[in-house]
Each structure stands twice: as C-alpha cells, then as structure tokens.
Short mmCIF file of all heavy atoms in Angstrom, two decimals:
data_model
loop_
_atom_site.label_atom_id
_atom_site.label_comp_id
_atom_site.label_asym_id
_atom_site.label_seq_id
_atom_site.Cartn_x
_atom_site.Cartn_y
_atom_site.Cartn_z
N SER A 1 7.94 16.76 3.29
CA SER A 1 7.67 15.98 4.50
C SER A 1 6.95 14.70 4.14
O SER A 1 6.48 14.52 3.02
CB SER A 1 6.85 16.79 5.48
OG SER A 1 5.60 17.09 4.92
N ARG A 2 6.83 13.84 5.11
CA ARG A 2 6.34 12.48 4.87
C ARG A 2 4.88 12.38 5.31
O ARG A 2 4.46 13.02 6.26
CB ARG A 2 7.19 11.54 5.71
CG ARG A 2 7.16 10.12 5.29
CD ARG A 2 8.03 9.29 6.21
NE ARG A 2 9.45 9.57 6.06
CZ ARG A 2 10.38 9.21 6.95
NH1 ARG A 2 10.04 8.60 8.07
NH2 ARG A 2 11.64 9.48 6.73
N ALA A 3 4.13 11.54 4.59
CA ALA A 3 2.74 11.29 4.95
C ALA A 3 2.55 9.79 5.16
O ALA A 3 3.36 8.98 4.71
CB ALA A 3 1.81 11.78 3.85
N LYS A 4 1.47 9.44 5.85
CA LYS A 4 1.15 8.04 6.08
C LYS A 4 -0.25 7.74 5.55
O LYS A 4 -1.17 8.53 5.73
CB LYS A 4 1.19 7.72 7.59
CG LYS A 4 0.85 6.25 7.89
CD LYS A 4 1.09 5.88 9.33
CE LYS A 4 -0.13 6.15 10.18
NZ LYS A 4 0.00 5.54 11.53
N ALA A 5 -0.38 6.61 4.88
CA ALA A 5 -1.69 6.14 4.43
C ALA A 5 -1.88 4.70 4.90
O ALA A 5 -0.93 3.91 4.89
CB ALA A 5 -1.79 6.21 2.91
N VAL A 6 -3.10 4.40 5.32
CA VAL A 6 -3.44 3.03 5.70
C VAL A 6 -4.58 2.57 4.80
O VAL A 6 -5.59 3.28 4.65
CB VAL A 6 -3.85 2.93 7.18
CG1 VAL A 6 -4.20 1.49 7.54
CG2 VAL A 6 -2.74 3.45 8.09
N PHE A 7 -4.41 1.40 4.20
CA PHE A 7 -5.42 0.82 3.31
C PHE A 7 -5.93 -0.48 3.87
O PHE A 7 -5.16 -1.26 4.46
CB PHE A 7 -4.81 0.52 1.93
CG PHE A 7 -4.24 1.73 1.24
CD1 PHE A 7 -2.92 2.11 1.47
CD2 PHE A 7 -5.01 2.47 0.37
CE1 PHE A 7 -2.37 3.22 0.84
CE2 PHE A 7 -4.47 3.59 -0.27
CZ PHE A 7 -3.16 3.96 -0.03
N SER A 8 -7.23 -0.71 3.67
CA SER A 8 -7.78 -2.05 3.82
C SER A 8 -7.54 -2.77 2.50
O SER A 8 -7.83 -2.22 1.44
CB SER A 8 -9.28 -1.95 4.13
OG SER A 8 -9.89 -3.20 3.98
N VAL A 9 -6.96 -3.97 2.58
CA VAL A 9 -6.67 -4.74 1.36
C VAL A 9 -7.37 -6.09 1.48
O VAL A 9 -7.01 -6.92 2.33
CB VAL A 9 -5.16 -4.94 1.17
CG1 VAL A 9 -4.87 -5.68 -0.13
CG2 VAL A 9 -4.42 -3.60 1.18
N MET A 10 -8.37 -6.31 0.63
CA MET A 10 -9.14 -7.54 0.72
C MET A 10 -8.70 -8.52 -0.37
O MET A 10 -8.37 -8.11 -1.48
CB MET A 10 -10.64 -7.23 0.58
CG MET A 10 -11.16 -6.27 1.65
SD MET A 10 -10.66 -6.70 3.33
CE MET A 10 -11.55 -8.25 3.54
N GLY A 11 -8.70 -9.79 -0.02
CA GLY A 11 -8.40 -10.85 -0.98
C GLY A 11 -7.05 -11.50 -0.80
O GLY A 11 -6.75 -12.48 -1.48
N MET A 12 -6.23 -10.99 0.12
CA MET A 12 -4.92 -11.61 0.36
C MET A 12 -5.13 -12.85 1.23
O MET A 12 -5.73 -12.77 2.31
CB MET A 12 -3.98 -10.64 1.09
CG MET A 12 -3.67 -9.37 0.34
SD MET A 12 -2.39 -8.38 1.15
CE MET A 12 -3.17 -7.95 2.70
N THR A 13 -4.64 -13.99 0.74
CA THR A 13 -4.85 -15.22 1.49
C THR A 13 -3.55 -15.85 1.98
O THR A 13 -3.59 -16.84 2.70
CB THR A 13 -5.61 -16.25 0.63
OG1 THR A 13 -4.89 -16.45 -0.58
CG2 THR A 13 -7.01 -15.76 0.31
N CYS A 14 -2.41 -15.31 1.61
CA CYS A 14 -1.14 -15.87 2.09
C CYS A 14 -0.09 -14.78 2.17
O CYS A 14 -0.29 -13.67 1.68
CB CYS A 14 -0.66 -17.01 1.18
SG CYS A 14 0.01 -16.44 -0.38
N SER A 15 1.06 -15.12 2.77
CA SER A 15 2.09 -14.10 2.95
C SER A 15 2.73 -13.71 1.62
O SER A 15 3.26 -12.60 1.50
CB SER A 15 3.15 -14.58 3.94
OG SER A 15 3.73 -15.76 3.48
N ALA A 16 2.67 -14.59 0.63
CA ALA A 16 3.19 -14.22 -0.68
C ALA A 16 2.33 -13.13 -1.32
O ALA A 16 2.84 -12.27 -2.05
CB ALA A 16 3.26 -15.43 -1.60
N CYS A 17 1.04 -13.16 -1.05
CA CYS A 17 0.16 -12.07 -1.50
C CYS A 17 0.64 -10.75 -0.93
O CYS A 17 0.77 -9.75 -1.64
CB CYS A 17 -1.27 -12.29 -1.03
SG CYS A 17 -2.10 -13.74 -1.63
N ALA A 18 0.88 -10.74 0.38
CA ALA A 18 1.34 -9.53 1.04
C ALA A 18 2.67 -9.08 0.46
O ALA A 18 2.90 -7.88 0.24
CB ALA A 18 1.46 -9.77 2.54
N GLY A 19 3.55 -10.03 0.19
CA GLY A 19 4.84 -9.70 -0.38
C GLY A 19 4.73 -9.05 -1.75
O GLY A 19 5.46 -8.11 -2.06
N SER A 20 3.79 -9.53 -2.56
CA SER A 20 3.65 -8.95 -3.90
C SER A 20 3.08 -7.53 -3.83
O SER A 20 3.46 -6.66 -4.62
CB SER A 20 2.80 -9.84 -4.80
OG SER A 20 1.52 -10.03 -4.27
N VAL A 21 2.22 -7.29 -2.86
CA VAL A 21 1.69 -5.93 -2.67
C VAL A 21 2.82 -4.99 -2.22
O VAL A 21 2.99 -3.89 -2.76
CB VAL A 21 0.53 -5.91 -1.65
CG1 VAL A 21 0.14 -4.49 -1.28
CG2 VAL A 21 -0.67 -6.66 -2.20
N GLU A 22 3.59 -5.43 -1.24
CA GLU A 22 4.71 -4.61 -0.75
C GLU A 22 5.68 -4.28 -1.86
O GLU A 22 6.11 -3.13 -2.02
CB GLU A 22 5.47 -5.35 0.35
CG GLU A 22 4.85 -5.25 1.72
CD GLU A 22 5.76 -5.81 2.80
OE1 GLU A 22 6.96 -6.05 2.52
OE2 GLU A 22 5.26 -6.01 3.91
N LYS A 23 6.03 -5.27 -2.65
CA LYS A 23 7.00 -5.08 -3.73
C LYS A 23 6.50 -4.07 -4.75
O LYS A 23 7.25 -3.19 -5.19
CB LYS A 23 7.27 -6.45 -4.39
CG LYS A 23 8.40 -6.47 -5.38
CD LYS A 23 8.67 -7.91 -5.83
CE LYS A 23 9.65 -7.96 -6.99
NZ LYS A 23 9.81 -9.33 -7.50
N ALA A 24 5.22 -4.20 -5.13
CA ALA A 24 4.65 -3.28 -6.13
C ALA A 24 4.61 -1.85 -5.60
O ALA A 24 4.95 -0.91 -6.32
CB ALA A 24 3.24 -3.75 -6.50
N VAL A 25 4.20 -1.68 -4.35
CA VAL A 25 4.12 -0.32 -3.78
C VAL A 25 5.51 0.27 -3.66
O VAL A 25 5.73 1.45 -3.99
CB VAL A 25 3.39 -0.35 -2.42
CG1 VAL A 25 3.48 1.00 -1.73
CG2 VAL A 25 1.93 -0.76 -2.61
N LYS A 26 6.48 -0.53 -3.23
CA LYS A 26 7.84 -0.02 -3.05
C LYS A 26 8.49 0.38 -4.37
O LYS A 26 9.45 1.14 -4.38
CB LYS A 26 8.70 -1.05 -2.32
CG LYS A 26 8.38 -1.17 -0.84
CD LYS A 26 9.19 -2.29 -0.18
CE LYS A 26 8.98 -2.31 1.33
NZ LYS A 26 9.64 -3.50 1.94
N ARG A 27 7.98 -0.13 -5.48
CA ARG A 27 8.52 0.24 -6.80
C ARG A 27 8.09 1.63 -7.23
O ARG A 27 8.69 2.21 -8.15
CB ARG A 27 8.05 -0.75 -7.87
CG ARG A 27 8.97 -1.92 -8.05
CD ARG A 27 8.68 -2.59 -9.41
NE ARG A 27 8.74 -4.03 -9.28
CZ ARG A 27 7.69 -4.84 -9.24
NH1 ARG A 27 6.47 -4.36 -9.36
NH2 ARG A 27 7.86 -6.13 -9.12
N LEU A 28 7.05 2.16 -6.64
CA LEU A 28 6.59 3.51 -7.00
C LEU A 28 7.62 4.54 -6.54
O LEU A 28 8.30 4.33 -5.52
CB LEU A 28 5.25 3.80 -6.32
CG LEU A 28 4.03 3.05 -6.82
CD1 LEU A 28 2.88 3.23 -5.84
CD2 LEU A 28 3.65 3.53 -8.20
N PRO A 29 7.71 5.67 -7.25
CA PRO A 29 8.55 6.75 -6.75
C PRO A 29 7.95 7.35 -5.48
O PRO A 29 6.73 7.36 -5.30
CB PRO A 29 8.52 7.78 -7.90
CG PRO A 29 7.26 7.49 -8.63
CD PRO A 29 7.02 6.01 -8.50
N GLY A 30 8.79 7.81 -4.59
CA GLY A 30 8.31 8.55 -3.43
C GLY A 30 7.81 7.71 -2.28
O GLY A 30 7.17 8.23 -1.37
N ILE A 31 8.13 6.42 -2.29
CA ILE A 31 7.71 5.55 -1.18
C ILE A 31 8.86 5.41 -0.19
O ILE A 31 9.98 5.04 -0.57
CB ILE A 31 7.29 4.16 -1.70
CG1 ILE A 31 6.14 4.27 -2.69
CG2 ILE A 31 6.92 3.25 -0.51
CD1 ILE A 31 4.84 4.79 -2.11
N HIS A 32 8.59 5.70 1.07
CA HIS A 32 9.61 5.53 2.11
C HIS A 32 9.56 4.11 2.68
O HIS A 32 10.60 3.48 2.86
CB HIS A 32 9.40 6.55 3.22
CG HIS A 32 10.38 6.40 4.35
ND1 HIS A 32 11.69 6.78 4.22
CD2 HIS A 32 10.25 5.90 5.60
CE1 HIS A 32 12.32 6.53 5.37
NE2 HIS A 32 11.47 5.98 6.21
N GLU A 33 8.35 3.63 2.97
CA GLU A 33 8.22 2.28 3.52
C GLU A 33 6.81 1.76 3.24
O GLU A 33 5.86 2.53 3.18
CB GLU A 33 8.47 2.32 5.05
CG GLU A 33 8.41 0.97 5.73
CD GLU A 33 9.41 -0.05 5.19
OE1 GLU A 33 9.21 -0.56 4.08
OE2 GLU A 33 10.38 -0.33 5.91
N ALA A 34 6.71 0.45 3.06
CA ALA A 34 5.40 -0.19 2.89
C ALA A 34 5.40 -1.48 3.71
O ALA A 34 6.32 -2.29 3.59
CB ALA A 34 5.14 -0.50 1.42
N VAL A 35 4.40 -1.61 4.56
CA VAL A 35 4.27 -2.81 5.38
C VAL A 35 2.86 -3.37 5.18
O VAL A 35 1.86 -2.65 5.34
CB VAL A 35 4.49 -2.49 6.88
CG1 VAL A 35 4.29 -3.74 7.72
CG2 VAL A 35 5.89 -1.91 7.10
N VAL A 36 2.79 -4.62 4.79
CA VAL A 36 1.50 -5.25 4.53
C VAL A 36 1.27 -6.38 5.53
O VAL A 36 2.14 -7.24 5.70
CB VAL A 36 1.42 -5.77 3.09
CG1 VAL A 36 0.06 -6.42 2.82
CG2 VAL A 36 1.68 -4.64 2.09
N ASP A 37 0.12 -6.33 6.17
CA ASP A 37 -0.25 -7.30 7.20
C ASP A 37 -1.40 -8.16 6.67
O ASP A 37 -2.54 -7.71 6.62
CB ASP A 37 -0.66 -6.54 8.47
CG ASP A 37 -1.07 -7.46 9.60
OD1 ASP A 37 -1.25 -8.68 9.38
OD2 ASP A 37 -1.23 -6.95 10.73
N VAL A 38 -1.07 -9.37 6.26
CA VAL A 38 -2.08 -10.25 5.64
C VAL A 38 -3.14 -10.66 6.66
O VAL A 38 -4.31 -10.80 6.31
CB VAL A 38 -1.40 -11.47 4.97
CG1 VAL A 38 -0.67 -12.32 5.97
CG2 VAL A 38 -2.41 -12.29 4.19
N LEU A 39 -2.76 -10.83 7.92
CA LEU A 39 -3.73 -11.30 8.93
C LEU A 39 -4.80 -10.26 9.22
O LEU A 39 -5.94 -10.59 9.52
CB LEU A 39 -3.00 -11.68 10.22
CG LEU A 39 -2.04 -12.86 10.10
CD1 LEU A 39 -1.36 -13.14 11.44
CD2 LEU A 39 -2.76 -14.10 9.61
N ASN A 40 -4.41 -8.99 9.14
CA ASN A 40 -5.36 -7.91 9.44
C ASN A 40 -5.85 -7.17 8.19
O ASN A 40 -6.55 -6.16 8.31
CB ASN A 40 -4.74 -6.93 10.43
CG ASN A 40 -4.54 -7.57 11.80
OD1 ASN A 40 -5.49 -8.04 12.41
ND2 ASN A 40 -3.30 -7.60 12.26
N ASN A 41 -5.47 -7.67 7.01
CA ASN A 41 -5.92 -7.05 5.76
C ASN A 41 -5.58 -5.56 5.69
O ASN A 41 -6.41 -4.74 5.30
CB ASN A 41 -7.42 -7.26 5.55
CG ASN A 41 -7.80 -8.71 5.51
OD1 ASN A 41 -7.31 -9.46 4.67
ND2 ASN A 41 -8.64 -9.15 6.43
N ARG A 42 -4.36 -5.24 6.09
CA ARG A 42 -3.95 -3.84 6.12
C ARG A 42 -2.64 -3.62 5.39
O ARG A 42 -1.75 -4.49 5.42
CB ARG A 42 -3.75 -3.36 7.57
CG ARG A 42 -5.02 -3.24 8.40
CD ARG A 42 -5.85 -2.06 7.95
NE ARG A 42 -7.05 -1.90 8.77
CZ ARG A 42 -8.20 -2.55 8.59
NH1 ARG A 42 -8.30 -3.43 7.61
NH2 ARG A 42 -9.23 -2.32 9.36
N ALA A 43 -2.54 -2.45 4.76
CA ALA A 43 -1.27 -1.99 4.20
C ALA A 43 -1.01 -0.59 4.75
O ALA A 43 -1.87 0.28 4.66
CB ALA A 43 -1.31 -1.96 2.68
N GLN A 44 0.16 -0.41 5.33
CA GLN A 44 0.55 0.91 5.85
C GLN A 44 1.73 1.40 5.01
O GLN A 44 2.71 0.68 4.84
CB GLN A 44 0.93 0.81 7.32
CG GLN A 44 1.31 2.14 7.94
CD GLN A 44 1.48 2.06 9.45
OE1 GLN A 44 0.53 1.79 10.16
NE2 GLN A 44 2.70 2.26 9.91
N VAL A 45 1.58 2.63 4.51
CA VAL A 45 2.59 3.16 3.58
C VAL A 45 3.02 4.55 4.04
O VAL A 45 2.18 5.41 4.31
CB VAL A 45 2.02 3.25 2.15
CG1 VAL A 45 3.10 3.72 1.18
CG2 VAL A 45 1.46 1.90 1.70
N LEU A 46 4.33 4.74 4.14
CA LEU A 46 4.90 6.06 4.40
C LEU A 46 5.43 6.57 3.07
O LEU A 46 6.18 5.86 2.38
CB LEU A 46 6.02 5.96 5.43
CG LEU A 46 5.62 5.40 6.80
CD1 LEU A 46 6.85 5.31 7.70
CD2 LEU A 46 4.56 6.27 7.45
N PHE A 47 5.04 7.80 2.70
CA PHE A 47 5.39 8.30 1.37
C PHE A 47 5.60 9.81 1.38
O PHE A 47 5.24 10.50 2.35
CB PHE A 47 4.29 7.92 0.36
CG PHE A 47 2.94 8.57 0.63
CD1 PHE A 47 2.55 9.69 -0.08
CD2 PHE A 47 2.08 8.06 1.58
CE1 PHE A 47 1.32 10.29 0.15
CE2 PHE A 47 0.85 8.66 1.83
CZ PHE A 47 0.47 9.78 1.11
N TYR A 48 6.19 10.28 0.27
CA TYR A 48 6.45 11.71 0.09
C TYR A 48 5.42 12.27 -0.89
O TYR A 48 5.46 11.95 -2.09
CB TYR A 48 7.88 11.92 -0.40
CG TYR A 48 8.88 11.50 0.64
CD1 TYR A 48 9.43 10.22 0.63
CD2 TYR A 48 9.23 12.36 1.68
CE1 TYR A 48 10.34 9.82 1.61
CE2 TYR A 48 10.13 11.97 2.67
CZ TYR A 48 10.68 10.69 2.62
OH TYR A 48 11.55 10.30 3.60
N PRO A 49 4.48 13.10 -0.40
CA PRO A 49 3.35 13.56 -1.22
C PRO A 49 3.75 14.37 -2.44
O PRO A 49 2.95 14.53 -3.36
CB PRO A 49 2.54 14.43 -0.24
CG PRO A 49 2.95 13.98 1.11
CD PRO A 49 4.39 13.54 0.99
N SER A 50 4.97 14.87 -2.51
CA SER A 50 5.42 15.58 -3.71
C SER A 50 5.58 14.62 -4.89
O SER A 50 5.57 15.05 -6.04
CB SER A 50 6.76 16.26 -3.46
OG SER A 50 6.67 17.13 -2.36
N TYR A 51 5.74 13.33 -4.61
CA TYR A 51 6.05 12.34 -5.65
C TYR A 51 4.93 11.36 -5.93
O TYR A 51 4.85 10.80 -7.02
CB TYR A 51 7.31 11.56 -5.25
CG TYR A 51 8.53 12.43 -5.18
CD1 TYR A 51 8.91 13.05 -3.99
CD2 TYR A 51 9.29 12.66 -6.33
CE1 TYR A 51 10.03 13.86 -3.93
CE2 TYR A 51 10.41 13.47 -6.28
CZ TYR A 51 10.78 14.07 -5.07
OH TYR A 51 11.88 14.89 -5.02
N VAL A 52 4.11 11.09 -4.93
CA VAL A 52 3.08 10.04 -5.10
C VAL A 52 1.93 10.38 -4.16
O VAL A 52 2.09 11.12 -3.19
CB VAL A 52 3.71 8.65 -4.80
CG1 VAL A 52 4.08 8.49 -3.35
CG2 VAL A 52 2.82 7.51 -5.27
N ASN A 53 0.75 9.87 -4.49
CA ASN A 53 -0.40 10.16 -3.63
C ASN A 53 -1.17 8.87 -3.28
O ASN A 53 -0.87 7.79 -3.79
CB ASN A 53 -1.32 11.21 -4.26
CG ASN A 53 -1.86 10.77 -5.62
OD1 ASN A 53 -2.20 9.59 -5.81
ND2 ASN A 53 -1.91 11.68 -6.57
N GLU A 54 -2.15 9.02 -2.41
CA GLU A 54 -2.90 7.87 -1.91
C GLU A 54 -3.59 7.11 -3.03
O GLU A 54 -3.65 5.88 -3.00
CB GLU A 54 -3.96 8.32 -0.89
CG GLU A 54 -3.40 8.83 0.42
CD GLU A 54 -3.15 10.33 0.41
OE1 GLU A 54 -2.98 10.93 -0.68
OE2 GLU A 54 -3.13 10.91 1.53
N GLU A 55 -4.13 7.84 -4.00
CA GLU A 55 -4.89 7.17 -5.06
C GLU A 55 -3.97 6.34 -5.96
O GLU A 55 -4.34 5.24 -6.38
CB GLU A 55 -5.70 8.20 -5.86
CG GLU A 55 -6.55 7.61 -6.95
CD GLU A 55 -7.59 6.58 -6.49
OE1 GLU A 55 -7.84 6.44 -5.28
OE2 GLU A 55 -8.13 5.88 -7.37
N THR A 56 -2.78 6.87 -6.25
CA THR A 56 -1.83 6.11 -7.05
C THR A 56 -1.40 4.84 -6.32
O THR A 56 -1.30 3.76 -6.93
CB THR A 56 -0.60 6.98 -7.38
OG1 THR A 56 -1.02 8.07 -8.20
CG2 THR A 56 0.47 6.19 -8.11
N ILE A 57 -1.20 4.95 -5.02
CA ILE A 57 -0.84 3.76 -4.23
C ILE A 57 -2.00 2.76 -4.23
O ILE A 57 -1.80 1.56 -4.43
CB ILE A 57 -0.46 4.18 -2.79
CG1 ILE A 57 0.75 5.10 -2.80
CG2 ILE A 57 -0.21 2.93 -1.93
CD1 ILE A 57 1.01 5.81 -1.48
N ARG A 58 -3.21 3.28 -4.02
CA ARG A 58 -4.40 2.41 -4.00
C ARG A 58 -4.55 1.66 -5.32
O ARG A 58 -4.79 0.45 -5.35
CB ARG A 58 -5.65 3.25 -3.70
CG ARG A 58 -6.87 2.45 -3.29
CD ARG A 58 -8.14 3.28 -3.30
NE ARG A 58 -8.51 3.65 -4.67
CZ ARG A 58 -9.06 2.82 -5.55
NH1 ARG A 58 -9.33 1.56 -5.20
NH2 ARG A 58 -9.34 3.22 -6.76
N GLU A 59 -4.39 2.40 -6.44
CA GLU A 59 -4.52 1.77 -7.76
C GLU A 59 -3.42 0.73 -8.00
O GLU A 59 -3.66 -0.30 -8.65
CB GLU A 59 -4.48 2.84 -8.86
CG GLU A 59 -5.77 3.67 -8.91
CD GLU A 59 -5.65 4.87 -9.84
OE1 GLU A 59 -4.55 5.12 -10.37
OE2 GLU A 59 -6.67 5.56 -10.02
N THR A 60 -2.25 0.98 -7.47
CA THR A 60 -1.15 0.02 -7.61
C THR A 60 -1.48 -1.28 -6.89
O THR A 60 -1.24 -2.38 -7.41
CB THR A 60 0.15 0.64 -7.07
OG1 THR A 60 0.49 1.77 -7.88
CG2 THR A 60 1.30 -0.37 -7.09
N ILE A 61 -2.07 -1.17 -5.70
CA ILE A 61 -2.49 -2.37 -4.96
C ILE A 61 -3.56 -3.12 -5.75
O ILE A 61 -3.53 -4.34 -5.87
CB ILE A 61 -2.99 -2.00 -3.56
CG1 ILE A 61 -1.86 -1.36 -2.74
CG2 ILE A 61 -3.55 -3.24 -2.84
CD1 ILE A 61 -2.32 -0.76 -1.41
N GLU A 62 -4.50 -2.37 -6.34
CA GLU A 62 -5.56 -3.01 -7.13
C GLU A 62 -4.98 -3.68 -8.37
O GLU A 62 -5.45 -4.75 -8.77
CB GLU A 62 -6.61 -1.96 -7.51
CG GLU A 62 -7.30 -1.37 -6.27
CD GLU A 62 -8.80 -1.52 -6.30
OE1 GLU A 62 -9.39 -1.51 -7.39
OE2 GLU A 62 -9.39 -1.63 -5.19
N ASP A 63 -3.97 -3.08 -8.97
CA ASP A 63 -3.34 -3.67 -10.16
C ASP A 63 -2.71 -5.03 -9.84
O ASP A 63 -2.58 -5.88 -10.72
CB ASP A 63 -2.29 -2.73 -10.74
CG ASP A 63 -2.91 -1.52 -11.45
OD1 ASP A 63 -4.13 -1.55 -11.71
OD2 ASP A 63 -2.17 -0.56 -11.71
N VAL A 64 -2.28 -5.23 -8.59
CA VAL A 64 -1.72 -6.52 -8.19
C VAL A 64 -2.85 -7.56 -8.07
O VAL A 64 -2.60 -8.76 -8.12
CB VAL A 64 -0.94 -6.38 -6.87
CG1 VAL A 64 -0.36 -7.72 -6.42
CG2 VAL A 64 0.19 -5.36 -7.00
N GLY A 65 -4.10 -7.09 -7.90
CA GLY A 65 -5.23 -8.00 -7.90
C GLY A 65 -6.06 -8.02 -6.64
O GLY A 65 -6.85 -8.94 -6.44
N PHE A 66 -5.89 -7.00 -5.80
CA PHE A 66 -6.63 -6.96 -4.55
C PHE A 66 -7.47 -5.69 -4.45
O PHE A 66 -7.12 -4.66 -5.03
CB PHE A 66 -5.68 -7.06 -3.36
CG PHE A 66 -4.81 -8.28 -3.42
CD1 PHE A 66 -3.48 -8.19 -3.78
CD2 PHE A 66 -5.36 -9.52 -3.17
CE1 PHE A 66 -2.69 -9.31 -3.88
CE2 PHE A 66 -4.58 -10.66 -3.26
CZ PHE A 66 -3.24 -10.55 -3.61
N GLU A 67 -8.55 -5.77 -3.70
CA GLU A 67 -9.42 -4.62 -3.52
C GLU A 67 -8.88 -3.78 -2.37
O GLU A 67 -8.77 -4.25 -1.24
CB GLU A 67 -10.85 -5.08 -3.24
CG GLU A 67 -11.85 -3.95 -3.22
CD GLU A 67 -13.28 -4.48 -3.20
OE1 GLU A 67 -13.59 -5.39 -4.00
OE2 GLU A 67 -14.05 -3.98 -2.38
N ALA A 68 -8.54 -2.53 -2.68
CA ALA A 68 -7.94 -1.65 -1.67
C ALA A 68 -8.81 -0.43 -1.42
O ALA A 68 -9.35 0.17 -2.35
CB ALA A 68 -6.55 -1.21 -2.14
N THR A 69 -8.95 -0.09 -0.13
CA THR A 69 -9.71 1.08 0.29
C THR A 69 -8.85 1.90 1.24
O THR A 69 -8.29 1.35 2.19
CB THR A 69 -11.01 0.65 1.02
OG1 THR A 69 -11.74 -0.25 0.19
CG2 THR A 69 -11.88 1.85 1.35
N LEU A 70 -8.78 3.20 1.00
CA LEU A 70 -8.06 4.08 1.91
C LEU A 70 -8.88 4.23 3.19
O LEU A 70 -10.06 4.64 3.13
CB LEU A 70 -7.83 5.45 1.27
CG LEU A 70 -7.09 6.49 2.11
CD1 LEU A 70 -5.63 6.08 2.34
CD2 LEU A 70 -7.16 7.86 1.42
N ILE A 71 -8.29 3.92 4.33
CA ILE A 71 -9.05 4.04 5.58
C ILE A 71 -8.44 5.04 6.55
O ILE A 71 -9.06 5.39 7.56
CB ILE A 71 -9.21 2.66 6.29
CG1 ILE A 71 -7.86 2.04 6.59
CG2 ILE A 71 -10.08 1.73 5.47
CD1 ILE A 71 -8.00 0.79 7.46
N GLN A 72 -7.25 5.53 6.27
CA GLN A 72 -6.64 6.48 7.21
C GLN A 72 -5.48 7.21 6.54
O GLN A 72 -4.73 6.59 5.80
CB GLN A 72 -6.17 5.73 8.45
CG GLN A 72 -5.46 6.58 9.50
CD GLN A 72 -4.89 5.69 10.59
OE1 GLN A 72 -5.59 4.83 11.12
NE2 GLN A 72 -3.63 5.88 10.91
MO1 9UX B 1 -0.51 -17.69 -3.75
MO2 9UX B 1 -1.42 -15.67 -1.92
O1 9UX B 1 -1.24 -17.62 -5.42
O2 9UX B 1 -3.03 -15.35 -2.63
S1 9UX B 1 0.16 -15.52 -3.52
S2 9UX B 1 -2.26 -17.63 -2.26
#
C-alpha cells in the first residue's frame, strides 16, 4: 500500500530548485509521486514503504542541497 510524507524544505529560492528536488526524489525506487511547492517550502511525496522510507527521501532532498524536515 501507499504512504504519504510531507517535508519542510528550506533554502529553495526558485522553481528550478523545486524541480531539482522533484527530479531527485522521483529517481528513487518506490516513489509514486513527488510535488514540491517552492512558495510554501513543502515537498509532498507518495511512496511504497516496501521500497523506500521517509528518511531515505529526506536524505535525498538534503543531497540536492536543501534542509529537509519530516513534518507529516
Ligand atoms: Mo537557481 Mo533555485 O541556482 O535556488 S535553482 S536559484
């Protein structure tokens, strides 16, 4: 079954930032959808917990260069 995670993502200043976060998260296995909202500093990810988890997604966002916190 599918799970949802919402992250606060700090440091994104343009839509290209959001695009790079979305692209990186979508490259992970087990991701159904990733939507990044630069105006609200949020990333919402739908994923399959058998393949990937919140911490791996969070670390992937950080690897792109932004500070990510799981908030929901
Ligand atoms: Mo361009 Mo957004 O370097 O941080 S991708 S401003």
